[in-house]
Amino acid sequence: MDCTKLQECQESILRARISEEGGIRNLLFFLLAKRDFASIDELASHDDAQDENARRMFDAVSLGRGRGGAESLATRLDGEKDPWLHYTVAKALLREGKTQAAIAVASRYLRLFPKDCLLLNLAAKSLAALGEQELASRMIDSSLKLNPIQGDMVALKDCLQTGRPWPVPLYLDPFPMAQLVAFYVPIYNVEQYIRQAIEGLIAQNYPLAEIIAVDDGTPDRSIEIAMEYPVRIVRHDR
């Protein structure tokens, strides 16, 4: 599966959007998912990478490159509104075995986002994996009190009660997980909308493996428009 042209198109759009959006966040995420550290180092010299928020993001990237500093960066997150930064620092701390420091990050995060249990759940899963059942159970209960409709936390609580292992591997890498992601777009009489739909997909900040344009026998010019982009065409007779 050759996704080179599609990802080149994505990166071009994300680079163009830096000046429009006034930030490097989306391009940085894209490069992180690709593990393109040469481009990340080049991006760090960009003018938009010099404000404090951008410096925190690049310091978070350093955590995943084995350069340490998670506890130091955690002290700089007060008032930070970017969930990814809190999540990345918490994962780095848990990976280093600094559970209490990660729980402190989760507590500060909840003060900023009272309904978002993301970091609380991450800490609970990590504690469960370490065999800290009592503390993990308390954190699960706190999470379910904030939001009772959480299937993963209900399942994790059941695992702790029954002694069964949690079946999902704990992902503590600070960087986005590398996955093959594809979108398919069913096409029938959407000439007016297809360009906007495909360009919206290409503008995503996660590297795409492919975009599949499915011709459902459309009588208009939709497929002609789709073929202007790096997509794969699948044709149906009807």
Side-chain angles (χ1 to χ4, degrees):
M1 182 186 300
D2 186 4
C3 54
T4 304
K5 288 185 178 179
L6 176 57
Q7 292 185 5
E8 285 177 351
C9 191
Q10 283 187 271
E11 183 172 340
S12 176
I13 288 174
L14 292 172
R15 287 187 180 278
R17 285 167 60 184
I18 289 178
S19 57
E20 298 171 10
E21 298 175 350
I24 46 83
R25 186 179 189 272
N26 283 315
L27 177 58
L28 178 61
F29 285 3
F30 177 84
L31 297 173
L32 275 177
K34 292 184 67 177
R35 307 298 195 266
D36 185 351
F37 297 117
S39 294
I40 289 171
D41 290 339
E42 179 271 330
L43 184 63
S45 64
H46 196 281
D47 288 343
D48 289 288
Q50 306 310 312
D51 63 42
E52 178 57 25
N53 179 260
R55 285 195 293 271
R56 284 193 288 259
M57 285 194 288
F58 283 103
D59 287 344
V61 171
S62 294
L63 301 180
R65 299 175 77 176
R67 297 175 180 174
E71 288 182 286
S72 174
L73 182 53
T75 64
R76 295 160 53 200
L77 295 182
D78 287 342
E80 171 60 57
K81 297 296 186 180
D82 189 336
W84 176 77
L85 276 169
H86 295 270
Y87 190 51
T88 300
V89 171
K91 284 197 293 184
L93 290 168
L94 289 170
R95 192 168 64 165
E96 294 173 9
K98 298 172 181 175
T99 307
Q100 291 303 319
I103 292 173
V105 172
S107 298
R108 288 200 300 271
Y109 182 79
L110 275 172
R111 287 196 292 271
L112 284 171
F113 306 99
K115 297 296 184 181
D116 191 340
C117 303
L118 178 68
L119 268 65
L120 193 61
N121 295 353
L122 178 68
K125 291 173 182 175
S126 181
L127 287 164
L130 292 170
E132 299 281 352
Q133 294 191 0
E134 184 178 346
L135 183 52
S137 293
R138 290 206 302 268
M139 299 194 77
I140 292 168
D141 289 340
S142 296
S143 180
L144 290 173
K145 186 176 180 181
L146 289 169
N147 180 6
I149 308 174
Q150 297 187 84
D152 60 338
M153 287 295 99
V154 172
L156 181 58
K157 185 173 184 177
D158 182 65
C159 285
L160 292 178
Q161 292 173 341
T162 60
R164 291 184 292 108
W166 177 242
V168 182
L170 191 63
Y171 185 78
L172 294 180
D173 191 322
F175 299 150
M177 187 180 291
Q179 301 275 18
L180 288 175
V181 178
F183 283 93
Y184 75 89
V185 185
I187 295 177
Y188 186 85
N189 274 350
V190 288
E191 182 178 336
Q192 184 178 353
Y193 312 107
I194 189 61
R195 189 180 301 280
Q196 182 181 4
I198 292 176
E199 289 183 358
L201 292 177
I202 294 174
Q204 299 302 303
N205 66 5
Y206 193 92
L208 301 182
E210 65 178 346
I211 297 173
I212 305 167
V214 183
D215 179 4
D216 282 327
T218 185
D220 64 0
R221 293 185 58 255
S222 296
I223 292 298
E224 293 176 44
I225 296 171
M227 290 175 67
E228 298 175 16
Y229 299 91
V231 304
R232 179 161 68 93
I233 306 295
V234 174
R235 297 186 184 274
H236 293 161
D237 293 334
R238 58 188 178 87

